[in-house]
Amino acid sequence: MGKEQAHTVKSYEQELTQLRGMTTAMGRLVERQTGLAIDAIVEADIHAAHEAQALDPQVDALERDVEALAIRLLALRAPMAGDLREIVSALKITGDLERIGDSAASIAKRSLKVEAAPVDVPTGGLRGMGRLVQENLRRAIDAMSGQDSAGAVEVWQSDAAVDELYTAMFRELVTYMMEDPRTIRSCTHLLFIAKNLERIGDHATNIAERVYYAATGEMLPAERPRGGGTVSR
Amino acid sequence: MGKEQAHTVKSYEQELTQLRGMTTAMGRLVERQTGLAIDAIVEADIHAAHEAQALDPQVDALERDVEALAIRLLALRAPMAGDLREIVSALKITGDLERIGDSAASIAKRSLKVEAAPVDVPTGGLRGMGRLVQENLRRAIDAMSGQDSAGAVEVWQSDAAVDELYTAMFRELVTYMMEDPRTIRSCTHLLFIAKNLERIGDHATNIAERVYYAATGEMLPAERPRGGGTVSR
């Protein structure tokens, strides 16, 4: 009961700020998880691989916390217009963040398989793609945290470059496997890792679209800029 | 103004029923899209491949419609307790449904690449997995439509079998590529198709978890039953 009362005393504005803070914290957490996952595969950093996987329960717990607070705000505060859009966006964005966390954990797990394999495979191509995806994700979380619609548009536009890097990586890996079939098992893991990075980029773009909508009440066009053609998507 | 009035005249109960109906319609649509995608790859049905991809804009439009109605209900009806949980669940479930649609479209697109390749590859292993995923998805939508928590638990339990089939498929395809490197390009598409099917199964399980929560106010355990070990996840 004491806890309930403490909550009730908080102002509506404080609770909205708290929701924003929790969503941003979740964003920063999956951003860190993504960075660790990229180090795990590109720097062969086993410690980072374990750390990235270990963050998963925290990400899931934050998603549940955001949802509980959003439901509380909806039930008790009857938010309208921009506030309502922001709360609904937070509910949707945490879904994207949770999947980014899943993708990061999957990259980390696969990096251990690649490390443990007897044959070396080229992970360098993932470095540039990883860096770009990490940067886009950081900017998406920044835009979210600052309700910055212009920043959101920038993220939304730069996803095409991620797609192009993915397509190049796909081709390179298939060629590599054909030239040396002993690398097939490890290269399939790299293929999935590249796909996971591309998906993280996609989710960052979804978040940017949501941020834009919450801030402006307008939707970005349904067709986002695309790179790399359709061959390997 | 006439349209607004017509809406306002609707009862709260009617609007909730409409929301349920729209979410179910979206579910049935991605269920159909998934069935077409499976036919596309397993029966080499090019017509089905195109049809599955063509459904994508309808799926996206339904997600936006559900969201608009949910926001309307939240703004004007101040729903409480079970109704509020159901509306929030609808917002989250449509995110899963949208991604199922994406996965189905991706399977369909890849099936055309596999068809067009000069080398034949074994698609038979996808038949059983496809059937099981389709069945789980159908039961998840049924549970959602009927707010059936017992049905939701059944779906939630049977995801482990999908994971096992995926792991077997992964091993079979890697072996196949090693034995005949000419099949590598097509087999990587099959690997991604198998992964997409596994993801559709995952999303069906997410939906089941949401249905259970909306119906009971309780969460299913965080750890869902898992099959197939961790090797290729």
Side-chain angles (χ1 to χ4, degrees):
Chain A
M1 201 57 199
K3 201 181 163 197
E4 272 301 303
Q5 276 176 341
H7 271 297
T8 319
V9 173
K10 270 193 189 159
S11 75
Y12 172 54
E13 203 42 64
Q14 277 175 319
E15 285 198 330
L16 254 188
T17 305
Q18 191 190 355
L19 183 76
R20 224 169 272 155
M22 278 163 61
T23 314
T24 304
M26 188 178 171
R28 296 298 175 211
L29 192 63
V30 302
E31 196 186 316
R32 189 169 143 230
Q33 208 181 0
T34 301
L36 287 164
I38 293 169
D39 286 350
I41 184 63
V42 174
E43 316 292 345
D45 183 340
I46 291 172
H47 178 71
H50 289 296
E51 212 182 325
Q53 291 180 77
L55 291 177
D56 238 14
Q58 284 181 56
V59 174
D60 293 347
L62 269 170
E63 186 184 17
R64 283 193 296 275
D65 290 349
V66 168
E67 188 171 330
L69 180 57
I71 287 181
R72 191 187 147 73
L73 274 159
L74 291 169
L76 302 182
R77 304 295 195 170
M80 295 297 292
D83 290 349
L84 180 55
R85 279 203 310 273
E86 191 184 342
I87 294 167
V88 168
S89 290
L91 284 167
K92 297 291 258 186
I93 284 174
T94 53
D96 283 292
L97 291 175
E98 192 267 332
R99 274 167 199 113
I100 291 174
D102 272 357
S103 291
S106 166
I107 291 171
K109 196 183 273 180
R110 285 181 194 280
S111 77
L112 295 172
K113 314 274 169 223
V114 173
E115 265 313 285
V119 194
D120 278 344
V121 286
T123 61
L126 290 167
R127 193 184 301 264
M129 191 181 172
R131 223 174 258 150
L132 186 60
V133 166
Q134 212 181 340
E135 174 67 12
N136 276 4
L137 177 57
R138 189 187 58 70
R139 287 158 64 211
I141 315 287
D142 286 351
M144 182 180 85
S145 152
Q147 301 170 280
D148 169 10
S149 61
V153 172
E154 276 175 40
V155 175
W156 184 77
Q157 282 166 337
S158 60
D159 192 47
V162 175
D163 291 347
E164 268 161 29
L165 287 174
Y166 170 73
T167 303
M169 187 80 204
F170 180 90
R171 288 190 180 135
E172 187 191 324
L173 286 170
V174 167
T175 307
Y176 205 85
M177 286 192 270
M178 284 175 169
E179 281 169 3
D180 183 357
R182 291 172 309 146
T183 66
I184 286 175
R185 188 173 293 270
S186 288
C187 281
T188 58
H189 285 303
L190 294 187
L191 274 175
F192 277 114
I193 287 173
K195 189 73 197 172
N196 273 316
L197 283 175
E198 191 234 13
R199 294 185 58 84
I200 292 176
D202 253 3
H203 287 298
T205 312
N206 288 348
I207 291 169
E209 287 173 355
R210 289 269 152 208
V211 168
Y212 187 88
Y213 169 71
T216 66
E218 306 279 322
M219 300 260 200
L220 285 165
E223 276 300 304
R224 65 176 68 161
R226 277 285 178 212
T230 57
V231 174
S232 50
R233 294 187 60 77
Chain B
M1 201 55 201
K3 202 181 163 199
E4 271 301 304
Q5 275 177 341
H7 271 296
T8 319
V9 173
K10 269 194 190 159
S11 74
Y12 172 53
E13 205 42 63
Q14 277 175 318
E15 286 198 330
L16 256 188
T17 305
Q18 191 190 357
L19 183 76
R20 225 168 271 156
M22 278 162 62
T23 314
T24 304
M26 187 178 172
R28 296 297 174 210
L29 193 62
V30 302
E31 197 188 315
R32 188 167 145 230
Q33 207 181 1
T34 302
L36 287 164
I38 293 168
D39 285 350
I41 184 63
V42 175
E43 316 292 345
D45 183 340
I46 292 173
H47 178 72
H50 289 296
E51 213 182 324
Q53 291 181 78
L55 291 178
D56 238 14
Q58 283 181 57
V59 174
D60 293 347
L62 269 169
E63 186 184 16
R64 284 192 296 275
D65 290 350
V66 168
E67 188 171 330
L69 181 57
I71 288 180
R72 190 188 147 74
L73 274 159
L74 291 169
L76 302 182
R77 305 296 195 168
M80 296 295 294
D83 290 350
L84 181 54
R85 279 203 310 274
E86 191 183 341
I87 294 167
V88 168
S89 290
L91 284 168
K92 297 291 255 186
I93 284 174
T94 53
D96 282 293
L97 291 175
E98 193 265 333
R99 275 167 198 114
I100 291 173
D102 273 357
S103 292
S106 166
I107 292 171
K109 197 184 272 181
R110 286 182 194 280
S111 77
L112 295 172
K113 314 273 168 223
V114 174
E115 264 314 286
V119 194
D120 278 345
V121 286
T123 62
L126 290 166
R127 192 184 301 266
M129 191 181 172
R131 223 174 259 149
L132 185 60
V133 166
Q134 211 179 343
E135 174 68 11
N136 275 5
L137 177 58
R138 189 187 58 72
R139 286 158 64 210
I141 315 289
D142 286 351
M144 182 180 84
S145 152
Q147 300 170 279
D148 169 11
S149 61
V153 172
E154 277 175 41
V155 175
W156 184 77
Q157 282 166 338
S158 59
D159 192 46
V162 174
D163 291 347
E164 268 161 31
L165 285 174
Y166 170 73
T167 303
M169 188 79 203
F170 180 90
R171 288 186 181 138
E172 187 190 324
L173 285 170
V174 167
T175 307
Y176 205 84
M177 286 192 271
M178 285 174 168
E179 281 169 3
D180 184 357
R182 292 172 309 147
T183 65
I184 286 175
R185 188 173 293 272
S186 288
C187 281
T188 58
H189 286 302
L190 294 187
L191 274 175
F192 277 114
I193 287 173
K195 190 72 196 169
N196 273 316
L197 283 175
E198 191 233 12
R199 293 185 58 83
I200 292 176
D202 253 4
H203 286 298
T205 312
N206 288 348
I207 291 170
E209 287 172 354
R210 289 268 153 209
V211 168
Y212 187 87
Y213 168 70
T216 67
E218 307 279 323
M219 300 260 201
L220 285 164
E223 277 300 304
R224 65 176 69 160
R226 278 282 179 214
T230 57
V231 174
S232 51
R233 294 186 59 78

